[in-house]
């Protein structure tokens, strides 16, 4: 691979630069990956390392920030080596990250005061309940675009301040810094001293303490309109503002990677939260354009333009991206908790097949779902229904139903849940979606993609470059350094691999969907 690509060493020629490559770092929930892209947005090399998932108690999920820090350096070095290029060939580094996962560390030593608390962690439920009970729910929703939830960083920061000895006092003395994983990695890569980041007598280390608008929009602390930290919200959560990073745009030169970094001197020039990065990587840069990532769960984002839109239909308002000084672009977001993980559940818990890819053959071995419907409400239902007390059901069982029917129904469940979120987006936007761009691990399943197009009644398109998340970060960084000229160039680089056209009659698709709705009723109120 390296040999093959080294022949195309400088495809950036014509951009007036010999630096023909962009590096993206994707710090995800299960792994950290570095990907080298060329000037056409094609993948040149990939390096990936998983990290430990730490479960100290039921409902608690943590990551070791030191492990992630080291993994980030290792995958960067490895991806560059695999691409057979030198640091001098890399125009910029872009960062994308698992959103909401939060770490607090000492500004002098760089040592975390506690593990990173992951977005899946539910330990802040009492803090969230307290906010709601105090009647603050509407304030947070109105000001930040977010519902009060354990997902977001604000309640997590509060928990660390309240529960880790000495942390509140140190925070109040201004000794600590907080960040999501973008912030943590950039602090690490821009520290000028080799080991501890310890300042030389009275001077702070020159590490940059920044986050971008998309990550900041997931904290419950940022005013979605001004895109600044909101003192009143920080006060309500009891969070000293000295902890918080500077909010910057998604595409600007932040600093060069310092001596201690594996790609010394390369400018770090872009940050996007993972779902926003995928949206940008899918070139959803015009209002009305939307993408859905089909992974463990599904994440839909709809570009709504330069004004934040408040959802009346159970969606979240979020920043999609901001390119330098240009106006910020907003999105409506809807998440479905269980999609690909239902496939894993059929594989691991029911033993229907050995590999996720086998579900398609099994589901295709029958003509339809045999009358059964699966509602995978394993931990309630998220957007747009928000029903915490729902639990999973398989209904419509008869002696006729086989594991092939259930597998088919499981794939259909992904499409039905996605249809519900799209319907909410259409209702909020007032203009119906005309096409959905799909990415993520499940899009290789053409039965699912076709069923999705049928259910939505609009074409579903899978792009040529499946690595949309890392690609989005690469685009953001490349734009900041002039490697890519403008958004028009990004749009021209997006290429479709396959489009699934809807071909079910309206009658058929609605009949299937009304059965789904009936099944959802059976799942509600169980817990
Ligand atoms: P994540 O980024 O959330 O970890 P991925 O985008 O890698 O997830 O997608 C992995 C998910 O896709 C898994 O839950 C897996 O069960 C599912 N998956 C993988 N291959 C297929 C397939 N051929 N059909 C349906 N689902 C699949």
């Amino acid at each position: 691979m390296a040999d093959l690509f080294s022949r195309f060493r400088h495809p950036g020629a014509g951009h007036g630069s010999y630096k023909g490559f962009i590096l993206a770092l994707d710090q995800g929930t299960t792994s950290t990956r570095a990907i080298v892209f060329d000037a056409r947005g094609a993948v040149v090399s990939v390096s990936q390392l998983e990290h430990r998932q730490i479960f100290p108690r039921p409902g608690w999920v943590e990551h070791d920030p030191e492990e992630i820090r080291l993994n980030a350096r290792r995958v960067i070095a490895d991806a560059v080596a695999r691409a057979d290029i030198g640091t001098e060939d890399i125009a910029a580094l872009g960062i994308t990250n698992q959103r909401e996962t939060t770490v607090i560390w000492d500004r002098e030593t760089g040592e975390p005061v506690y593990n990173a608390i992951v977005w899946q962690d539910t330990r802040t439920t009492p803090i969230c309940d307290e906010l709601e009970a105090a009647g603050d729910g509407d304030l947070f929703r109105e000001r930040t675009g977010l519902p009060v939830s354990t997902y977001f960083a604000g309640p997590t920061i509060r928990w660390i301040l309240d529960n880790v000895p000495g942390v509140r006092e140190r925070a109040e003395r201004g000794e600590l810094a907080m960040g999501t994983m973008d912030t943590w990695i950039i602090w690490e890569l821009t520290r000028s001293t080799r080991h501890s980041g310890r300042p030389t007598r009275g001077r702070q280390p020159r590490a940059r303490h920044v986050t971008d608008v998309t990550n900041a929009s997931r904290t419950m602390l940022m005013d979605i309109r001004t895109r600044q930290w909101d003192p009143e919200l920080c006060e309500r959560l009891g969070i000293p503002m000295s902890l918080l990073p500077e909010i910057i745009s998604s595409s600007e030169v932040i600093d060069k990677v310092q001596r201690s970094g594996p790609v010394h001197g390369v400018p770090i020039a872009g940050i996007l939260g993972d779902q926003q990065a995928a949206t940008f990587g899918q070139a959803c840069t015009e209002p009305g354009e939307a993408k859905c990532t089909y992974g463990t769960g599904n994440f839909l984002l709809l570009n709504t333009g330069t004004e934040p839109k408040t959802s009346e239909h159970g969606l979240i308002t979020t920043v999609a991206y901001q390119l330098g000084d240009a106006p910020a672009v907003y999105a409506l977001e809807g998440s479905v908790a269980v999609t690909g993980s239902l496939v894993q559940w059929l594989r691991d818990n029911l033993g229907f097949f050995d590999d996720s890819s086998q579900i398609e053959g099994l589901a295709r071995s029958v003509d339809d779902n045999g009358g059964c419907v699966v509602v995978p409400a394993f931990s309630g239902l998220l957007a747009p229904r928000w029903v915490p007390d729902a639990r999973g059901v398989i209904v419509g069982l008869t002696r006729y139903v086989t594991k092939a029917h259930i597998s088919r129904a499981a794939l259909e469940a992904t499409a039905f849940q996605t249809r519900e979120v799209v319907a909410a987006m259409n209702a909020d936007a007032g203009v119906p979606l005309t096409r959905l761009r799909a990415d993520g691990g499940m899009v290789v399943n053409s039965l699912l993609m076709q069923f999705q197009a049928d259910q939505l009644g609009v074409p579903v398109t899978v792009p040529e470059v499946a690595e949309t998340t890392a690609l989005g970060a690469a685009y953001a960084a490349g734009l900041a350094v002039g490697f890519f000229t403008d958004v028009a160039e990004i749009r021209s680089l997006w290429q479709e691999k396959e489009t699934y056209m809807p071909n079910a009659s309206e009658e058929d698709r609605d009949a299937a969907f009304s059965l789904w709705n009936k099944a959802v009723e059976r799942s509600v109120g169980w817990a």
Side-chain angles (χ1 to χ4, degrees):
M1 180 109 154
D3 286 349
L4 179 70
F5 281 102
S6 57
R7 281 190 277 127
F8 304 104
R9 222 175 146 86
H10 304 304
H15 291 266
S17 161
Y18 68 95
K19 294 176 184 292
F21 301 90
I22 295 275
L23 179 63
L25 183 76
D26 178 0
Q27 202 303 293
T29 307
T30 54
S31 73
T32 305
R33 305 195 306 155
I35 301 187
V36 174
F37 290 96
D38 68 15
R40 295 159 302 152
V43 174
V44 178
S45 69
V46 182
S47 178
Q48 175 166 6
L49 281 173
E50 295 202 352
H51 54 264
R52 257 183 329 138
Q53 304 295 316
I54 303 166
F55 305 109
R57 294 188 200 180
W60 291 27
V61 189
E62 299 177 359
H63 292 156
D64 176 359
E66 296 286 0
E67 183 184 8
I68 286 177
R69 188 169 72 85
L70 289 173
N71 283 0
R73 288 156 165 270
R74 288 193 188 122
V75 294
I76 286 175
D78 188 45
V80 172
R82 281 171 194 246
D84 193 22
I85 57 174
T87 296
E88 67 285 356
D89 297 319
I90 303 167
L93 167 62
I95 312 260
T96 177
N97 57 293
Q98 53 169 323
R99 301 178 304 174
E100 296 117 13
T101 297
T102 299
V103 59
I104 296 180
W105 65 92
D106 185 295
R107 287 178 182 273
E108 278 207 13
T109 65
E111 271 171 41
V113 302
Y114 191 80
N115 273 341
I117 298 183
V118 180
W119 57 273
Q120 299 151 328
D121 191 297
T122 54
R123 79 185 69 188
T124 61
T125 303
I127 295 172
C128 295
D129 290 348
E130 215 175 279
L131 288 173
E132 290 286 6
D136 286 340
D138 287 345
L139 172 71
F140 278 95
R141 190 184 296 270
E142 203 277 317
R143 193 95 36 102
T144 69
L146 306 173
V148 169
S149 162
T150 59
Y151 281 119
F152 304 117
T156 307
I157 301 170
R158 167 66 179 267
W159 187 93
I160 298 175
L161 290 168
D162 286 352
N163 291 277
V164 183
V167 165
R168 180 168 290 282
E169 294 71 30
R170 290 165 71 191
E172 266 153 18
R173 289 198 298 268
E175 294 169 11
L176 303 179
M178 164 273 162
T180 38
M181 300 320 279
D182 53 321
T183 309
W184 172 243
I185 299 281
I186 290 170
W187 177 282
E188 160 70 12
L189 293 178
T190 59
R191 282 194 310 176
S192 54
T193 43
R194 195 167 184 82
H195 295 296
S196 62
R198 193 170 295 124
T200 43
R201 200 182 290 276
R203 256 195 288 141
Q204 290 284 318
R206 62 182 295 284
R208 292 298 311 271
H209 186 214
V210 294
T211 191
D212 89 306
V213 280
T214 68
N215 278 290
S217 78
R218 319 292 300 184
T219 56
M220 278 172 52
L221 300 174
M222 189 189 85
D223 183 322
I224 191 83
R225 288 170 194 85
T226 63
R227 297 178 306 282
Q228 300 295 322
W229 301 122
D230 187 295
E232 189 183 355
L233 300 182
C234 292
E235 165 103 47
R236 297 280 165 115
L237 267 163
I239 294 173
M241 293 183 73
S242 65
L243 271 174
L244 304 176
E246 179 190 348
I247 301 175
I248 62 172
S249 84
S250 314
S251 176
E252 64 181 77
V253 175
I254 297 163
D255 200 352
K256 290 185 169 156
V257 176
Q258 291 303 315
R259 180 167 55 93
S260 56
V263 281
H264 172 71
V266 171
I268 305 172
I271 314 175
L272 285 163
D274 54 10
Q275 295 307 322
Q276 281 89 342
T279 307
F280 200 56
Q282 285 268 35
C284 294
T285 56
E286 292 286 331
E289 292 177 338
K291 71 88 199 179
C292 179
T293 300
Y294 293 76
T296 318
N298 272 21
F299 291 91
L300 279 96
L301 270 86
L302 169 73
N303 181 323
T304 58
T306 51
E307 291 294 325
K309 247 196 157 64
T310 308
S311 178
E312 309 277 321
H313 300 90
L315 304 173
I316 284 171
T317 308
T318 200
V319 181
Y321 57 86
Q322 182 183 16
L323 305 176
D325 297 334
V329 173
Y330 291 88
L332 283 170
E333 173 174 328
S335 315
V336 178
V338 180
T339 58
S341 55
L342 175 61
V343 177
Q344 293 169 335
W345 183 79
L346 295 180
R347 181 194 64 194
D348 302 338
N349 295 39
L350 301 190
F352 277 13
F353 34 80
D354 300 322
D355 191 279
S356 294
S357 64
Q358 292 167 324
I359 193 173
E360 184 168 356
L362 192 57
R364 278 189 189 279
S365 71
V366 287
D367 291 333
D368 54 34
N369 61 23
C372 92
V373 181
V374 181
V375 182
F378 291 157
S379 45
L381 291 165
L382 301 184
R385 294 177 186 257
W386 301 103
V387 189
D389 65 5
R391 287 298 177 269
V393 294
I394 303 178
V395 293
L397 296 179
T398 58
R399 287 281 316 254
Y400 173 75
V401 169
T402 65
K403 65 179 185 178
H405 296 113
I406 295 176
S407 296
R408 200 169 173 113
L411 294 176
E412 291 175 354
T414 293
F416 290 134
Q417 294 182 97
T418 305
R419 175 174 170 173
E420 290 184 347
V421 177
V422 169
M425 284 178 170
N426 287 344
D428 276 332
V431 199
L433 197 71
T434 53
R435 171 167 76 164
L436 184 68
R437 299 180 183 203
D439 53 65
M442 292 183 91
V443 302
V444 295
N445 191 316
S446 56
L447 181 68
L448 167 64
M449 290 295 105
Q450 183 58 52
F451 190 72
Q452 186 69 81
D454 289 344
Q455 270 303 311
L456 294 178
V458 301
V460 174
T461 302
V462 177
E464 195 60 56
V465 179
E467 302 288 354
T468 54
T469 304
L471 185 60
Y475 284 160
L479 281 170
V481 296
F483 183 84
F484 299 114
T485 314
D486 51 21
V487 170
E489 184 181 358
I490 303 293
R491 292 182 71 83
S492 75
L493 289 172
W494 185 90
Q495 283 196 347
E496 83 170 58
K497 181 174 179 209
E498 192 144 21
T499 291
Y500 297 85
M501 298 302 292
N503 59 23
S505 71
E506 195 154 334
E507 215 176 7
D508 284 351
R509 76 187 197 101
D510 288 347
F513 191 59
S514 71
L515 261 188
W516 159 261
N517 280 308
K518 209 164 142 188
V520 172
E521 285 167 28
R522 303 292 192 277
S523 77
V524 169
W526 184 266

